[in-house]
Coordinates of all heavy atoms in Angstrom, one line a residue:
D49 N 78.9 124.1 81.5 CA 78.0 123.9 82.7 C 77.2 122.7 82.4 O 76.4 122.7 81.5 CB 77.1 125.2 82.9 CG 76.2 125.0 84.1 OD1 76.6 124.3 85.0 OD2 75.2 125.7 84.1
P50 N 77.3 121.6 83.3 CA 76.6 120.4 83.0 C 75.0 120.6 83.1 O 74.3 119.9 82.3 CB 77.1 119.4 84.1 CG 77.7 120.3 85.1 CD 78.2 121.5 84.4
E51 N 74.6 121.5 84.0 CA 73.1 121.7 84.1 C 72.6 122.3 82.8 O 71.5 122.0 82.4 CB 72.8 122.7 85.3 CG 72.6 121.9 86.6 CD 73.7 122.1 87.6 OE1 74.4 123.1 87.5 OE2 73.9 121.2 88.4
K52 N 73.4 123.2 82.2 CA 73.0 123.8 80.9 C 72.9 122.7 79.8 O 71.9 122.7 79.1 CB 74.0 124.9 80.5 CG 73.4 126.0 79.8 CD 74.5 127.1 79.6 CE 73.9 128.4 79.1 NZ 74.9 129.4 79.0
V53 N 73.9 121.9 79.8 CA 73.9 120.8 78.8 C 72.6 119.9 79.0 O 72.0 119.5 78.0 CB 75.2 119.9 78.9 CG1 75.1 118.7 78.0 CG2 76.4 120.8 78.5
F54 N 72.3 119.6 80.3 CA 71.2 118.8 80.6 C 69.9 119.4 80.1 O 69.1 118.8 79.5 CB 71.1 118.5 82.1 CG 69.9 117.8 82.6 CD1 69.7 116.5 82.4 CD2 68.9 118.5 83.3 CE1 68.6 115.8 82.8 CE2 67.8 117.9 83.8 CZ 67.6 116.5 83.5
K55 N 69.7 120.7 80.4 CA 68.5 121.4 80.0 C 68.4 121.5 78.5 O 67.3 121.2 78.0 CB 68.6 122.9 80.5 CG 67.9 123.1 81.8 CD 67.5 124.5 82.0 CE 66.7 124.7 83.3 NZ 67.6 124.9 84.5
I56 N 69.5 121.7 77.8 CA 69.5 121.8 76.3 C 69.1 120.4 75.7 O 68.3 120.3 74.8 CB 70.8 122.3 75.7 CG1 71.1 123.7 76.1 CG2 70.9 122.1 74.2 CD1 72.5 124.2 75.9
A57 N 69.7 119.4 76.3 CA 69.4 118.0 75.9 C 67.9 117.7 76.0 O 67.3 117.2 75.1 CB 70.2 117.0 76.7
I58 N 67.3 118.0 77.2 CA 65.9 117.8 77.4 C 65.0 118.6 76.4 O 64.1 118.0 75.8 CB 65.5 118.1 78.9 CG1 66.2 117.2 79.9 CG2 64.0 118.1 79.0 CD1 65.6 115.8 80.0
E59 N 65.4 119.8 76.2 CA 64.6 120.7 75.3 C 64.7 120.1 73.8 O 63.7 120.1 73.1 CB 65.2 122.1 75.2 CG 64.8 122.9 76.5 CD 63.3 123.0 76.7 OE1 62.5 123.2 75.8 OE2 62.9 122.9 77.9
N60 N 65.9 119.6 73.5 CA 66.0 119.0 72.1 C 65.2 117.7 71.9 O 64.9 117.4 70.8 CB 67.5 118.8 71.8 CG 68.3 120.1 71.5 OD1 67.7 121.1 71.3 ND2 69.6 120.0 71.5
I61 N 65.0 117.0 73.0 CA 64.3 115.7 72.9 C 62.8 115.8 73.0 O 62.1 115.0 72.5 CB 64.9 114.7 73.9 CG1 66.4 114.5 73.8 CG2 64.2 113.3 73.8 CD1 66.8 113.9 72.5
K62 N 62.4 116.9 73.6 CA 60.9 117.1 73.8 C 60.1 117.0 72.5 O 60.4 117.8 71.6 CB 60.6 118.4 74.5 CG 60.8 118.4 76.0 CD 60.4 119.8 76.5 CE 60.6 119.9 78.0 NZ 60.2 121.2 78.5
P63 N 59.2 116.1 72.3 CA 58.4 116.0 71.1 C 57.3 117.0 71.1 O 56.7 117.3 72.1 CB 57.9 114.6 71.1 CG 57.7 114.3 72.6 CD 58.8 115.0 73.3
Q64 N 57.1 117.6 69.9 CA 56.0 118.6 69.7 C 54.7 117.8 69.3 O 53.6 118.1 69.7 CB 56.3 119.6 68.7 CG 57.6 120.4 68.9 CD 57.6 121.0 70.2 OE1 56.7 121.7 70.7 NE2 58.8 120.9 70.9
L65 N 54.9 116.8 68.5 CA 53.8 115.9 68.0 C 54.1 114.5 68.3 O 55.2 114.0 68.4 CB 53.7 116.1 66.5 CG 53.3 117.4 65.9 CD1 53.6 117.5 64.4 CD2 51.9 117.8 66.2
E66 N 53.0 113.7 68.4 CA 53.1 112.3 68.5 C 51.9 111.7 67.8 O 50.9 112.4 67.5 CB 53.1 111.8 70.0 CG 51.9 112.1 70.8 CD 52.0 111.6 72.2 OE1 52.9 111.0 72.6 OE2 51.1 112.0 73.0
I67 N 51.9 110.4 67.6 CA 50.8 109.7 67.0 C 50.1 108.8 67.9 O 50.7 108.1 68.7 CB 51.2 109.0 65.7 CG1 52.4 108.1 66.0 CG2 51.5 109.9 64.5 CD1 52.7 107.1 64.8
K68 N 48.8 108.8 67.8 CA 47.9 108.0 68.7 C 47.1 107.1 67.7 O 46.6 107.6 66.7 CB 47.0 108.8 69.5 CG 47.7 109.6 70.6 CD 47.1 109.2 72.0 CE 47.9 109.7 73.1 NZ 47.5 111.0 73.6

Side-chain angles (χ1 to χ4, degrees):
D49 182 24
E51 268 108 26
K52 210 173 193 176
V53 172
F54 173 72
K55 264 202 180 82
I56 292 167
I58 295 284
E59 286 303 316
N60 285 347
I61 302 298
K62 279 183 180 179
Q64 306 305 315
L65 294 167
E66 67 181 349
I67 48 170
K68 290 237 167 92

